[in-house]
Amino acid sequence: MRAEILDGRKVAAQVKAALKEEVTQLKGRGLTPGLAVILVGDDPASQVYVGNKEKACRAVGIASFPHRLPAATGEEHLLQLIGRLNADPAVHGILVQLPLPRQLDANRVIQAIDPAKDVDGFHPVNAGRLAAGLPAFVPCTPQGVMHLLAAYNIPVAGRHAVVVGRSNIVGKPLVQLLLAADATVTVCHSKTRDLAAFTRTADILVAAVGRPRLITRDMVKPGAVVVDVGINRLPEGLVGDVDFEAVREVARYITPVPGGVGPLTIAMLLKNTLAAALAGRGGGPRGE
Ligand code: GUN
């Protein structure tokens, strides 16, 4: 069997086209959704991600407010900026690109963001609401994974999903979303013994650890759905956490890197920003 490719670019384009219509209508009623994007320092990968997020905002008509700060920025300075953005009615969403330089405490910074403007879904209030099954801003990458599965009508209920990775950004929130969709969920991580014994039992296997080509063909059950969240920069270019060419020979569906989950992450950020703008008008954050 040769896997069908889950085309993230195509699905993201559909999401963005629908969002653009909604944004246009909202603007007609006098409300322009706005996203503040804060980048501290000059990490090259973060610069690319932030640039792509700003471009995507413009493409659907969301106002983007970029804040580029020097690598040596102090915590108080950053917290003051977040305080001003919390109070700014033109800003509906606030995103602080991670990772931050070493002198900055990411937890403190995230907790300074108004949970109602936390379009990344990283604030403990939103993480807690998601875990409790309450309406919350859901982190964009795991939300994108669920959207991609749904777009291809891939059933989740009752299936065994194995998530490799336990980060606050991807692994943990994805576990919550898969549970909410009635999957049986196993979480593996860097200390898991005999990882392959777990991955081989997955109907849906998600790799989100940042280790190039960690998931090899022998670790995948024939017919499984394989979702690759990894983005690793190697001399030969971008590669995921999955050995794509080998695994596509056994899987039923597989995401490429790039062009898989990544484009959905940005589309979900735009969706969350629109939801934040609508919430200011008596709506609420909408999960996936
Ligand atoms: N760094 C890696 N992924 C993300 C993300 O989704 N949001 C932010 N703010 N930083 C990231």
Side-chain angles (χ1 to χ4, degrees):
M1 184 194 307
R2 200 138 199 265
E4 184 176 341
I5 303 289
L6 297 173
D7 186 344
R9 290 198 181 105
K10 187 176 83 185
V11 176
Q14 290 163 358
V15 173
K16 285 195 272 189
L19 287 174
K20 188 173 181 172
E21 277 189 30
E22 277 196 72
V23 170
T24 304
Q25 283 185 14
L26 208 55
K27 282 174 145 176
R29 290 189 270 134
L31 179 62
T32 300
L35 174 67
V37 179
I38 303 173
L39 173 60
V40 187
D42 38 29
D43 177 67
S46 289
Q47 284 177 340
V48 173
Y49 297 147
V50 161
N52 287 341
K53 290 172 185 180
E54 288 166 352
K55 233 184 286 170
C57 278
R58 283 196 293 277
V60 300
I62 291 175
S64 98
F65 304 102
H67 295 269
R68 301 271 199 285
L69 304 177
T73 297
E75 196 159 289
E76 288 314 311
H77 183 86
L78 179 55
L79 295 178
Q80 276 170 20
L81 171 60
I82 291 172
R84 286 199 299 280
L85 297 170
N86 282 341
D88 185 341
V91 172
H92 302 99
I94 301 170
L95 178 152
V96 179
Q97 186 65 28
L98 301 179
L100 288 168
R102 239 174 289 127
Q103 77 276 13
L104 300 170
D105 178 348
N107 282 320
R108 264 194 92 195
V109 170
I110 288 166
Q111 286 176 51
I113 298 171
D114 179 349
K117 296 191 176 189
D118 170 37
V119 287
D120 257 332
F122 294 166
H123 192 291
V125 164
N126 281 313
R129 292 181 66 93
L130 175 62
L134 298 169
F137 284 116
V138 176
C140 305
T141 299
Q143 197 184 153
V145 170
M146 299 305 289
H147 194 100
L148 196 53
L149 296 176
Y152 281 85
N153 296 313
I154 294 170
V156 175
R159 313 291 286 284
H160 184 205
V162 175
V163 178
V164 187
R166 54 172 157 178
S167 69
N168 289 342
I169 295 182
V170 183
K172 285 186 209 163
L174 183 57
V175 165
Q176 298 299 342
L177 293 174
L178 288 163
L179 278 177
D182 297 325
T184 300
V185 185
T186 299
V187 195
C188 300
H189 48 77
S190 55
K191 300 291 192 294
T192 297
R193 287 189 205 163
D194 197 2
L195 177 63
F198 291 95
T199 60
R200 275 198 286 265
T201 67
D203 302 311
I204 299 169
L205 176 60
V206 184
V209 278
R211 302 230 338 243
R213 304 191 188 103
L214 171 73
I215 304 297
T216 48
R217 177 177 173 146
D218 57 302
M219 295 168 75
V220 176
K221 178 166 78 174
V225 179
V226 179
V227 178
D228 191 350
V229 180
I231 302 179
N232 306 287
R233 275 152 222 280
L234 297 186
E236 66 259 37
L238 288 187
V239 304
D241 291 351
V242 175
D243 183 356
F244 178 84
E245 289 303 333
V247 170
R248 75 185 294 190
E249 300 300 331
V250 291
R252 171 71 184 84
Y253 291 99
I254 190 167
T255 62
V257 175
V261 176
L264 264 302
T265 294
I266 295 192
M268 296 300 113
L269 172 67
L270 305 176
K271 187 163 176 261
N272 282 352
T273 303
L274 178 59
L278 289 168
R281 291 217 156 167
R286 304 170 302 182
E288 181 56 25

